[in-house]
Amino acid sequence: GRGRTDVTVLVLGLDNSGKTTLLAALRPPDPRPHDPRPHAAPTVGHSVDHFTSGGVSFSAWDVSGAARHRALWERHYRAAHAIIFVVDSADHLRLVVAREELELLVSHPDMCGRRLPLLVLANKSDAPHALAPMQVAAALGLERITDKPWHICASCALSGAGLADGVAWLARQVR
Ligand code: GTP
Ligand code: MG
């Protein structure tokens, strides 16, 4: 690791993959008696959220995944210490698009060759016909990424399942 305890993580992935929902699930519980965690609306622009894992404090940039906003992702690349790439495991048709966007991301001049840890979340594991993480990894061509440590795990942002394990891996990579 590189001993970081304050980490800027970019949360990227196609629109509707569950980025905003999973950041709400990772947020520390609200001390007020009711913590409604309302359904996420599509993100406009970006917002910053916070969570902690394994003694690491993460500032998470939640960026819109809508096609017309994806060109804005690269503005955040240089400041990033880590990436979370979120995929809707049940959206089989758009896995091809997700793969293209991931390829653009890892080959971008501000990313290429940097050993940034890349956590891929095969999200919506609860959905009917969701692909297993191994299948999502194959569809995304993750084995071709050799300049970054990467890890894939299944997650369900609605229940929070899989998220703690995923971000614990990220925390171990940066510490
Ligand atoms: P953009 O902001 O448009 O880029 O989308 P996003 O990636 O932030 O997606 P968002 O969190 O807004 O979630 C999109 C929809 O998917 C919402 O209706 C969520 O409730 C739903 N959703 C998110 N995660 C899961 C999951 O793990 N399982 C299921 N079944 N639905 C999910
Ligand atoms: Mg969002």
Side-chain angles (χ1 to χ4, degrees):
R2 53 206 89 174
R4 281 191 192 282
T5 52
D6 283 293
V7 167
T8 297
V9 60
L10 276 185
V11 184
L12 301 173
L14 302 186
D15 50 300
N16 199 51
S17 55
K19 302 179 292 296
T20 302
T21 305
L22 73 87
L23 287 174
L26 283 169
R27 207 179 288 151
D30 193 318
R32 287 170 296 184
H34 290 288
D35 184 9
R37 308 203 185 227
H39 281 297
T43 302
V44 178
H46 64 256
S47 64
V48 185
D49 223 315
H50 299 275
F51 61 89
T52 57
S53 175
V56 178
S57 171
F58 289 90
S59 296
W61 288 74
D62 176 12
V63 187
S64 166
R68 65 186 179 285
H69 293 144
R70 283 179 215 147
L72 302 176
W73 290 2
E74 66 180 21
R75 292 190 185 183
H76 306 286
Y77 290 171
R78 284 213 242 174
H81 305 128
I83 306 281
I84 299 177
F85 192 80
V86 186
V87 179
D88 178 344
S89 321
D91 188 353
H92 302 198
L93 283 175
R94 289 211 303 165
L95 269 172
V96 182
V97 184
R99 179 190 180 123
E100 287 169 0
E101 295 293 354
L102 181 61
E103 281 175 355
L104 286 173
L105 164 67
V106 297
S107 63
H108 188 280
D110 291 344
M111 282 291 176
C112 189
R114 291 173 67 196
R115 275 189 54 80
L116 291 189
L118 169 68
L119 171 67
V120 178
L121 290 175
N123 194 42
K124 305 200 185 183
S125 59
D126 59 303
H129 312 297
L131 295 177
M134 293 277 285
Q135 295 172 291
V136 174
L140 295 176
L142 290 184
E143 80 288 346
R144 292 174 54 193
I145 301 175
T146 53
D147 63 348
K148 294 172 179 48
W150 56 263
H151 179 70
I152 186 165
C153 57
S155 66
C156 171
L158 296 182
S159 68
L163 297 178
D165 286 352
V167 298
W169 176 84
L170 214 49
R172 287 196 301 276
Q173 295 299 310
V174 296
R175 282 227 70 164

